[in-house]
Amino acid sequence: MTPPLPPATRRTILGGAAASSLLWIPPATAAAPPQGVHLTYGADPRRQMAVSWSTPASVRRPRLEVGVDRSLGRVVDVDSRSSKDVRSVYHHARIGGLRPGTTYRYRIEHGGATGATAASGTFRTAPEKPEAFRFAAFGDMGVNAAAAAHVALIRQQEPDFSFVVGDLCYADSSGGTGVGGPDTQDFAEWDRWLRQIQPSARSTPWMTTVGNHEMETGNGELGYAGYLDRFSLPRNGVDGAPVTYSFVYGNVGFIALDGNDASYEIDRNADYLGVDQDRWLVGQLATMRARADLDFVVVGFHNCMFCTNLVHGSDGGNRDRWEPIFDRFSVDLVVNGHNHCYERTHPVRDGAPVVEAPRGAVVDSRHGTTYLTAGGAGQAVYPVGGQALSYVTIAGGARVPEATTWSSVTDAQHSIGFVDVTPRDRAGVARMRLTALATDGSVIDRVTLRRSSRTGE
Ligand SMILES: [Fe+2]
Ligand SMILES: [Fe+2]
């Protein structure tokens, strides 16, 4: 007698870093409402957007419809991925050919064993020409009450997008050190985190980077598989490093680096890209600085280049690799996390402050780079920094004491950075105003970076 056939199954080809393998996706078992809906821009935020979401199990015919009015009308293909140690399935719809400065409606729809389920939302593409906009900047969020309060604060402040510098959900609490093994892992934390951010991320993109806690033990060679399964990032980064990318919004170029590749402090992924990432960075900066329509460049990665906080101090690896490059191209703002606190430097050039920039200052950012530690987005905060003497981790891991004359403002409270960008005024001066808000919305710090488009000013 012929044995019965196994039940019908479905397989899907993975995208992102795990594209080389096939993973089993469990069959649809029940109606599964979309969860953790979040947006990311493509490489061109004027014309490209990705909508991502998860379901508790596999679903039938996942699809996304998008359009400028209630009739929607355009159906977009969906790429579905499974991920390590969870039954959740992650769905990604990359949308191209959008119109700049336009509000779109979208609707997620799919079937389950007990019927169709759906979710809907809206998003807005970046404007064709520079106009005033706001972005949020922060890292080190986790799943906790402070993080949830910050999501509400971000919604209230209505940024156009968030720039998130790693240590997202802490599904692997060993933080790239490998200490603790499976006991330190709970990959369901990703779903809790995505549900936590959905109230903001379903309508404004969250542009994320990797921190040391995205190096998950046993989850791909670099540990990034869990992150890449859940995000649909711009595909214009370093070859072999889909966690890196760049995009332009208005008059600002944004570059997301993999700080783990350059860290001396936590060297799990150190130098897996090496000179390739540095060359890509130089190419991106050269291109951005050659564009007449761009005023500012913002670079984001996780590890601190300049921070007095004694928990992690500053990372000499990131300095050795990138500080000369940032100086050469006069990068305006570097956003880091990792130290769970707030800190802002004076404008720095060649490792030293070039001008005083106390709270409320207006500074010409051509003279130096402002380094921001925005690691207070939710995880337990570290004791206050601001020490006159801190340390930098050098090659081999030794901590070398150093004076911290470059530090301007430190604060140990939880906080979120908000940056208001305005295009050039009649005098040709563009501005980025950084405001750091505590959880209750009170102002911790404020500074304005200005840059003139006219030579000699
Ligand atoms: Fe962290
Ligand atoms: Fe970190």
Side-chain angles (χ1 to χ4, degrees), residues 139-141 166-167 170 212-213 302 312 337-340 375 379 382:
D140 306 85
M141 183 165 246
D167 281 7
Y170 296 80
N212 54 297
H213 282 273
H302 184 64
H312 292 297
H338 198 40
N339 280 304
H340 297 174
Q379 283 296 101
Y382 296 163

